[in-house]
Amino acid sequence: MCYSRIVLFSPLLLGVLITQSLPILLSGHANNIEIPNLIPAFSLALGASLWLRSERQAPSHADRCIALILSALFLIPSQQITWLIVLLLALWLGFNTPNNAASSRAMLIIGLAALQPLLLTYLLKWFAAPVLTIDAAIVAALLKLTTGEGHHIGNIIYSPSGHQLLILRGCSSLTNVGSAWLIWFALSRYRDVSLNKQDLTVLTLLTLSLLSLNICRLYSMSLDLAWHQWWHSNSGQQLYQALSAGFLLLSITLGLRYVGMQTKKDRKSGSAGMPRPISYA
């Protein structure tokens, strides 16, 4: 077996994968295992497996220096720094792997797997008010439409029953929607499905479906405090996570199959229009 950059960088990717997934899986409580938290690690595993099958380039002196620096940074106990390390690694390998389409796809998957949790973390940290206000505005509009009462101020919903519902970062639809987009892109790039206009249709339906699921949950909590208590119980949390995960996987599976069929049709129609070679007797 030839000595390639796999020897340098695969231990780092494996370490990131373990530290980002094992604590969630070993949390000890089924209701604590949230599927969106596993999506970046799953996408990272997809990208890493594709890279391991395609990487053949021998390491340079710069590769060894980068591996040493990133390994040293990995010792810092910070989730954000860990994902930043993966993002930097994807950028380095992506720009230093010429003429290898599979490796480029792998680095794109790994880079987005690292970028997604960073974006979600800092969007909900720095821009929490406008992000959470979107959910509150939709729920308040539904209350107004169905009951004639209800409004919101910022991320606080004033329900017709007299209680107030404060939407926190854990209740935002952004997490599920961001996870859906990430795993869709990771699977489509892993299967080398060509990105086309069909993607926009499937992603729009997937986004609206996941958004509707969370809005319905917030709407029921706004109507009655009993629903609020039930959704925050073990049974309610498990049901919501199961519905989110099941719908997410079902939608992505059907969507990838649909887009894959459309891609095959486009390729067949393109090849059918090409002139056939003339054979001579």
Side-chain angles (χ1 to χ4, degrees):
M1 180 178 178
C2 63
Y3 176 49
S4 70
R5 294 189 295 184
I6 292 176
V7 178
L8 281 180
F9 296 113
S10 58
L12 182 60
L13 289 175
L14 180 61
V16 173
L17 189 61
I18 292 174
T19 57
Q20 297 304 312
S21 60
L22 203 59
I24 301 174
L25 295 174
L26 299 181
S27 58
H29 301 282
N31 59 300
N32 290 333
I33 302 177
E34 298 183 1
I35 297 300
N37 293 339
L38 289 174
I39 295 301
F42 177 75
S43 302
L44 174 62
L46 283 179
S49 64
L50 182 60
W51 177 69
L52 289 174
R53 296 199 308 267
S54 59
E55 177 60 49
R56 295 295 180 269
Q57 186 171 327
S60 63
H61 178 70
D63 289 326
R64 297 185 183 92
C65 293
I66 291 295
L68 182 61
I69 294 172
L70 294 182
S71 298
L73 291 175
F74 181 63
L75 299 177
I76 301 175
S78 170
Q79 187 179 34
Q80 284 74 35
I81 291 180
T82 299
W83 287 120
L84 180 60
I85 290 170
V86 177
L87 179 60
L88 293 175
L89 176 60
L91 291 173
W92 173 260
L93 293 178
F95 285 111
N96 290 277
T97 308
N99 303 322
N100 191 332
S103 182
S104 298
R105 288 186 1 245
M107 288 305 109
L108 192 56
I109 295 172
I110 292 174
L112 289 175
L115 186 62
Q116 187 255 15
L118 290 174
L119 283 177
L120 289 182
T121 297
Y122 290 106
L123 277 176
L124 291 175
K125 182 178 181 179
W126 294 337
F127 305 100
V131 170
L132 299 177
T133 299
I134 296 175
D135 289 312
I138 297 175
V139 174
L142 285 176
L143 288 173
K144 189 73 173 178
L145 182 65
T146 55
T147 66
E149 300 180 11
H151 66 281
H152 77 97
I153 299 177
N155 59 327
I156 302 177
I157 301 173
Y158 294 83
S159 71
S161 58
H163 70 274
Q164 302 172 9
L165 180 67
L166 175 63
I167 301 180
L168 301 175
R169 285 180 287 184
C171 298
S172 173
S173 303
L174 184 63
T175 303
N176 282 340
V177 172
S179 299
W181 280 66
L182 172 61
I183 195 171
W184 164 266
F185 191 86
L187 287 171
S188 63
R189 291 289 80 204
Y190 181 81
R191 295 182 55 185
D192 197 18
V193 176
S194 299
L195 298 178
N196 50 46
K197 61 182 181 180
Q198 308 299 334
D199 290 317
L200 183 59
T201 302
V202 177
L203 283 174
T204 300
L205 292 175
L206 182 58
T207 300
L208 292 176
S209 300
L210 290 173
L211 181 63
S212 300
L213 180 61
N214 189 48
I215 292 301
C216 289
R217 183 174 69 106
L218 296 174
Y219 174 79
S220 64
M221 289 192 290
S222 301
L223 286 176
D224 195 336
L225 282 176
W227 279 110
H228 179 274
Q229 296 173 356
W230 186 83
W231 280 115
H232 286 84
S233 66
N234 289 339
S235 300
Q237 291 181 13
Q238 290 175 4
L239 176 62
Y240 178 69
Q241 292 169 16
L243 288 174
S244 299
F247 191 82
L248 177 66
L249 295 177
L250 177 62
S251 301
I252 288 174
T253 301
L254 295 177
L256 280 177
R257 184 176 180 181
Y258 170 72
V259 173
M261 292 174 60
Q262 292 297 119
T263 302
K264 289 180 179 178
K265 289 181 180 178
D266 293 341
R267 288 175 179 173
K268 287 182 179 179
S269 61
S271 60
M274 296 176 61
R276 297 182 178 180
I278 301 175
S279 58
Y280 298 92

